[in-house]
Amino acid sequence: AQSVAQPEDQVNVAEGNPLTVKCTYSVSGNPYLFWYVQYPNRGLQFLLKYITGDNLVKGSYGFEAEFNKSQTSFHLKKPSALVSDSALYFCAVRPYNYGQNFVFGPGTRLSVLP
Amino acid sequence: DVKVTQSSRYLVKRTGEKVFLECVQDMDHENMFWYRQDPGLGLRLIYFSYDVKMKEKGDIPEGYSVSREKKERFSLILESASTNQTSMYLCASSPLRFRPAGPPLSTDRQYFGPGTRLTVL
């Protein structure tokens, strides 16, 4: 079965420190990978995606993500966290040959402390 | 910018009521989706539609139905609301025509509405 795991329910980081939000996946073939962010009482906003090519993908708001095929991971990173980055982050995959259905992870709540 | 709007931000209904959640997108997208979001479970796909009057079941369609009479509008219907349908409901659209198989296209992504938080008492 296709699945996405985000092993941490909650990540706390001090403002100015680097942050990492982890994502691993289990899908057949070569998936396309996405990160979305959800601010309180808002819908999901697209951050970045990996399709092919360079394993390091840069996205909105200074975020980047690293695709690691051997570890089936797609971790979200930012060199210097801001308090305004505090939100719920979702990893999603678009499996190869699986029609239009995206598979979402359970979400990780990021808290950046001033 | 693509805009996806949902008819209500907050909704409170009684058990057994028929509930309509409306979603409208303004970018002529082919595909529309309804998800529910629950803590610790992420987003789960209820139904999606790839064309007017077309619909496909997602992972958790039980207790729900949908309607797509116009391209820009996708409605989620709870025929008889129950307390276990208390949740956040998210609508999304994407621009690419549904294909039953084959690799995703590089431009494929979803655009989400703000969500409707439904409470069933």
Side-chain angles (χ1 to χ4, degrees), chain B residues 79-103:
Chain B
E79 294 288 343
S80 178
S82 63
T83 54
N84 62 13
Q85 292 178 311
T86 292
S87 187
M88 169 72 94
Y89 289 87
L90 292 169
C91 176
S93 69
S94 72
L96 299 169
R97 180 164 290 280
F98 174 78
R99 294 163 293 113

Side-chain angles (χ1 to χ4, degrees), chain A:
Chain A
Q2 326 281 353
S3 66
V4 177
Q6 293 179 241
E8 299 156 318
D9 294 335
Q10 173 91 33
V11 170
N12 297 320
V13 64
E15 187 175 27
N17 283 2
L19 69 87
T20 299
V21 183
K22 296 179 181 178
C23 172
T24 59
Y25 62 90
S26 174
V27 298
S28 57
N30 297 315
Y32 288 4
L33 299 154
F34 299 79
W35 276 101
Y36 287 86
V37 60
Q38 185 180 36
Y39 297 102
N41 299 314
R42 303 282 295 276
L44 272 67
Q45 297 180 29
F46 172 79
L47 273 181
L48 51 78
K49 65 182 177 184
Y50 172 81
I51 303 298
T52 187
D54 193 347
N55 289 344
L56 187 64
V57 179
K58 294 190 183 297
S60 305
Y61 313 122
F63 283 93
E64 57 189 27
E66 186 168 14
F67 171 63
N68 188 317
K69 187 175 182 178
S70 63
Q71 296 185 3
T72 60
S73 68
F74 189 54
H75 300 332
L76 181 71
K77 300 181 180 183
K78 187 173 182 181
S80 178
L82 300 172
V83 172
S84 57
D85 293 330
S86 298
L88 189 57
Y89 290 81
F90 290 96
C91 180
V93 299
R94 171 80 160 76
Y96 198 98
N97 280 336
Y98 194 57
Q100 288 283 302
N101 289 352
F102 290 73
V103 179
F104 284 83
T108 297
R109 187 163 299 283
L110 172 67
S111 291
V112 180
L113 309 173

Side-chain angles (χ1 to χ4, degrees), chain B residues 40-60:
Chain B
L41 298 178
L43 275 67
R44 293 180 290 167
L45 182 64
I46 304 171
Y47 268 96
F48 66 102
S49 168
Y50 53 90
D51 204 349
V52 175
K53 297 192 185 295
M54 305 301 287
K55 60 185 179 184
E56 292 285 338
K57 292 180 180 179
D59 299 319
I60 52 164

